Amino acid sequence: DGGITQSPKYLFRKEGQNVTLSCEQNLNHDAMYWYRQDPGQGLRLIYYSQIVNDFQKGDIAEGYSVSREKKESFPLTVTSAQKNPTAFYLCASSTDRQLMGYTFGSGTRLTVV
Amino acid sequence: AQKITQTQPGMFVQEKEAVTLDCTYDTSDPSYGLFWYKQPSSGEMIFLIYQGSYDQQNATEGRYSLNFQKARKSANLVISASQLGDSAMYFCAMREDNQGGKLIFGQGTELSVKP
């Protein structure tokens, strides 16, 4: 079945470490997105990519980096520059068919220990 | 300025009754789409319903309908015959078609269905 896979489901990071969250899709979608969700809050856009080898900053890109070397994959690295990384991270993908909206992964919960 | 505003942090509804979740939006783009998502405690985002800015009729999907009032820039979600499984966070979102296809979310409304 087609879908988006995020891994790991839970991730613990020590202060000062970089960590990478995986996002893989087999939907043949061109666009992929990373969102951050804090408790009781809406989703805020970190980065997005509309085509391979190209990506744009979202509203809260500081302290994060991404790559888009393959259409299927859009990994997010949370760097040590991100001062408050504890959050729920959601990856999504979409086509240009407007009615489809986005397909979301099941999320990664990152905790700084 | 907030692009998507959900003014109800929490709502309660009795099982089998209807409930309306409010959403207002702000855009100058003539072409846009409005979405509602449900997020249960597991964290997954479940797509419920979509309304395009040029759609003449209000969208409906089963028990969900979207009350689209373009002049007032509102896109309220109506859930009919509430069920216990409807208890979740609900997010309104907008995509402006001249802004790269990204979705902008509201803060969400937590709906609790009482038996």
Side-chain angles (χ1 to χ4, degrees):
Chain A
D1 286 339
I4 296 183
T5 302
Q6 287 189 244
S7 62
K9 193 173 178 68
Y10 299 95
L11 188 57
F12 297 91
R13 188 194 97 167
K14 292 183 180 178
E15 295 213 21
Q17 278 184 339
N18 292 355
V19 290
T20 297
L21 282 59
S22 170
C23 178
E24 304 276 334
Q25 55 101 355
N26 59 3
L27 299 164
N28 200 32
H29 286 175
D30 289 311
M32 297 186 75
Y33 310 81
W34 273 106
Y35 287 90
R36 169 181 172 142
Q37 186 179 23
D38 293 286
Q41 304 280 328
L43 280 67
R44 292 184 291 167
L45 183 65
I46 304 172
Y47 268 99
Y48 64 106
S49 167
Q50 293 178 284
I51 56 172
V52 175
N53 292 322
D54 189 41
F55 47 83
Q56 288 79 39
K57 292 181 179 180
D59 299 319
I60 56 166
E62 186 175 349
Y64 299 97
S65 66
V66 293
S67 63
R68 187 86 188 277
E69 297 176 3
K70 298 186 300 182
K71 188 175 185 178
E72 302 79 19
S73 178
F74 192 40
L76 173 74
T77 296
V78 184
T79 75
S80 56
Q82 171 49 240
K83 296 306 177 190
N84 186 20
T86 294
F88 187 55
Y89 292 86
L90 281 160
C91 179
S93 69
S94 73
T95 70
D96 59 0
R97 291 177 57 201
Q98 294 183 2
L99 290 179
M100 295 301 290
Y102 285 23
T103 300
F104 282 84
S106 55
T108 293
R109 198 167 296 278
L110 174 63
T111 304
V112 173
V113 295
Chain B
Q2 286 275 63
K3 290 260 188 178
I4 295 284
T5 303
Q6 295 180 252
T7 57
Q8 306 153 311
M11 290 277 287
F12 288 92
V13 64
Q14 203 68 35
E15 192 178 7
K16 300 180 186 176
E17 291 185 350
V19 63
T20 298
L21 306 184
D22 294 341
C23 173
T24 58
Y25 60 93
D26 183 27
T27 181
S28 56
D29 192 334
S31 179
Y32 54 90
L34 297 159
F35 301 80
W36 277 92
Y37 284 87
K38 173 184 178 181
Q39 187 181 43
S41 57
S42 59
E44 62 187 306
M45 296 291 284
I46 301 169
F47 167 72
L48 296 178
I49 197 166
Y50 165 84
Q51 179 87 41
S53 59
Y54 295 116
D55 293 342
Q56 296 295 316
Q57 293 189 320
N58 287 344
T60 60
E61 289 286 348
R63 294 186 298 112
Y64 305 107
S65 60
L66 199 153
N67 184 359
F68 181 45
Q69 299 187 44
K70 194 170 182 177
R72 299 174 69 176
K73 294 188 175 178
S74 78
N76 298 340
L77 176 71
V78 180
I79 305 175
S80 63
S82 298
Q83 302 172 356
L84 295 178
D86 293 335
S87 295
M89 283 291 288
Y90 288 81
F91 291 99
C92 180
M94 176 175 66
R95 183 194 61 231
E96 296 167 297
D97 292 337
N98 290 327
Q99 296 294 325
K102 54 190 178 182
L103 270 182
I104 304 164
F105 285 83
Q107 294 291 88
T109 295
E110 184 171 9
L111 178 66
S112 297
V113 180
K114 297 192 284 188

